[in-house]
Amino acid sequence: MTITQLYYVLAVAEHQNFTKAAEKCFVTQPTLSMQIQKLEDQLDIQIFDRSKKPIELTEVGRKIVNQAKNIVNEADRIQDIVDQQKGFIGGEFRLGIIPTVMPTLLPMFLKTFIKRYPKVKLKIEELTTEEIIQRINDGNLDAAIAATPLENENIKERVLFFEPFVAYVPQHHRLSEKQKIDVSDLEIEDMLLLEDGHCFRDGVINLCKSLKQHDEDKFQLESGSIEMLVKLSNEGLGMTLLPYLHTLDIKEKEKNNLHFFNEPSPAREVSLLYHKSELKMQIIEALQTVISGIIRGAIAFQNVQIISPLPK
């Protein structure tokens, strides 16, 4: 049994396809298939049910894959030890970012990070929190940026910043004359929300749930993007809440519709997430240093109330 064979097994388990797995591992499909067959023969079991389309793990195959992840992680740790000893910060690094953070935070830090750490090959994907948790646990992501706390025992969280919620209130709305608003002013019935699956949506709902009971059937409109929520609000279809960084790029004529909360401002906690196995920590720490240094000048809020992104 070799580490390479285990890498091949994990690749097939991820892609459920021998050809795609071979492409990921930069080998020919016959080479990958032969090595997996050799491992199955040695163990005298079948790891994959090849009669299924897509390919599925057998019952024992699932157990082997779980153990293989641990072995491969520990093997990768050896390279980590060597890299850290040499002070090397480089190699491929897979980073996931949630949709409500990606468009505002990424342009702020990416150019600086690439310039400072040119040997790091970042592979960045926009993913939901649910996808991020799954991929970190499966070993298919090195780290992620998402709203926290997530209370997942396999994932560690390093807080990067606290981002306040800001109300976007159109003209002639019942709250449009208030310079600052209170959380108690919110009514879920006239709130425009992101579609299900966005953790910022869950944060807004949790904020409103703390006030009173509500009927989820009364939600008027939902959208897949924050920009669309602003457009719908401009049409007089309701108010919405925005993450603070999204307000920095808002059109000048729309800034009068922004209303901050009285302190403590409701806010989300945004963190850098990684597996408890702590692989590639030198790159994770480099990311934290760059992002924290840049964000410090953009968000100066101190007195905030953290709203959980976990659905209640």
Side-chain angles (χ1 to χ4, degrees), residues 30 98 201:
I98 59 173
R201 166 202 166 95

Side-chain angles (χ1 to χ4, degrees), residues 243-271:
Y244 173 73
L245 290 179
H246 280 262
T247 69
L248 301 182
D249 294 326
I250 206 163
K251 295 176 183 177
E252 198 63 36
K253 65 180 181 180
E254 295 174 335
K255 288 185 177 178
N256 290 334
N257 294 340
L258 296 176
H259 295 252
F260 289 90
F261 284 88
N262 288 312
E263 294 186 345
S265 301
R268 63 174 176 176
E269 178 183 87
V270 178
S271 300

Side-chain angles (χ1 to χ4, degrees), residues 244-305:
Y244 173 73
L245 290 179
H246 280 262
T247 69
L248 301 182
D249 294 326
I250 206 163
K251 295 176 183 177
E252 198 63 36
K253 65 180 181 180
E254 295 174 335
K255 288 185 177 178
N256 290 334
N257 294 340
L258 296 176
H259 295 252
F260 289 90
F261 284 88
N262 288 312
E263 294 186 345
S265 301
R268 63 174 176 176
E269 178 183 87
V270 178
S271 300
L272 192 57
L273 315 178
Y274 53 95
H275 196 269
K276 66 180 182 181
S277 59
E278 298 189 351
L279 294 171
K280 303 186 180 181
M281 285 305 298
Q282 66 274 33
I283 301 179
I284 289 170
E285 288 169 359
L287 269 171
Q288 181 184 16
T289 299
V290 170
I291 295 172
S292 298
I294 288 174
I295 208 71
R296 199 175 294 123
I299 298 182
F301 296 86
Q302 300 296 330
N303 189 6
V304 296
Q305 173 195 1

Side-chain angles (χ1 to χ4, degrees), residues 79-89:
Q79 186 61 53
D80 261 9
I81 291 170
V82 173
D83 288 345
Q84 290 181 42
Q85 181 66 29
K86 293 179 177 179
F88 175 74
I89 301 179

Side-chain angles (χ1 to χ4, degrees), residues 9-222:
V9 167
L10 293 180
V12 175
E14 177 187 352
H15 295 283
Q16 296 181 282
N17 182 284
F18 278 83
T19 302
K20 290 181 180 178
E23 290 173 358
K24 179 186 176 182
C25 296
F26 303 105
V27 296
T28 64
Q29 190 265 326
T31 297
L32 179 136
S33 297
M34 180 185 68
Q35 287 298 323
I36 291 179
Q37 184 65 59
K38 188 175 179 181
L39 178 61
E40 289 177 321
D41 292 343
Q42 180 186 346
L43 297 174
D44 195 26
I45 52 92
Q46 263 201 318
I47 299 174
F48 298 102
D49 184 346
R50 294 163 175 80
S51 67
K52 301 288 182 64
K53 299 294 180 184
I55 294 167
E56 291 183 4
L57 287 164
T58 62
E59 185 176 347
V60 69
R62 283 191 290 272
K63 296 177 182 178
I64 289 171
V65 163
N66 288 335
Q67 186 60 31
K69 289 176 184 176
N70 296 330
I71 296 170
V72 166
N73 278 341
E74 291 305 314
D76 288 343
R77 191 184 297 278
I78 294 174
Q79 186 61 53
D80 261 9
I81 291 170
V82 173
D83 288 345
Q84 290 181 42
Q85 181 66 29
K86 293 179 177 179
F88 175 74
I89 301 179
E92 182 178 287
F93 191 84
R94 300 159 299 178
L95 179 68
I97 308 179
I98 59 173
T100 56
V101 168
M102 177 87 116
T104 53
L105 183 63
L106 188 61
M108 295 176 71
F109 81 84
L110 184 58
K111 186 175 180 179
T112 300
F113 184 85
I114 291 172
K115 185 176 181 180
R116 194 174 297 179
Y117 302 102
K119 294 181 181 178
V120 176
K121 183 182 178 183
L122 279 178
K123 297 184 70 175
I124 302 171
E125 287 187 80
E126 184 176 276
L127 301 167
T128 65
T129 302
E130 185 178 353
E131 290 171 329
I132 282 170
I133 293 171
Q134 183 66 48
R135 293 203 192 186
I136 289 179
N137 283 328
D138 288 345
N140 297 320
L141 265 189
D142 296 308
I145 299 173
T148 54
L150 298 180
E151 300 176 9
N152 189 293
E153 61 180 10
N154 294 320
I155 295 176
K156 292 196 172 187
E157 303 172 358
R158 289 193 180 193
V159 177
L160 294 171
F161 58 92
F162 302 115
E163 184 176 24
F165 292 18
V166 181
Y168 187 86
V169 184
Q171 294 181 7
H172 310 303
H173 187 276
R174 60 184 175 83
L175 299 178
S176 61
E177 298 301 318
K178 298 194 71 170
Q179 187 172 4
K180 283 196 172 184
I181 64 175
D182 293 308
V183 171
S184 60
D185 292 326
L186 301 180
E187 293 282 352
I188 195 69
E189 286 80 9
D190 73 348
M191 187 77 66
L192 301 173
L193 297 170
L194 287 169
E195 292 173 346
D196 198 12
H198 290 267
C199 62
F200 189 74
R201 166 202 166 95
D202 294 325
V204 172
I205 292 175
N206 290 343
L207 182 63
C208 294
K209 273 186 175 179
S210 67
L211 305 174
K212 62 189 78 171
Q213 292 294 318
H214 65 274
D215 183 352
E216 294 198 10
D217 290 337
K218 291 184 180 179
F219 290 167
Q220 292 181 336
L221 283 169
E222 298 177 3

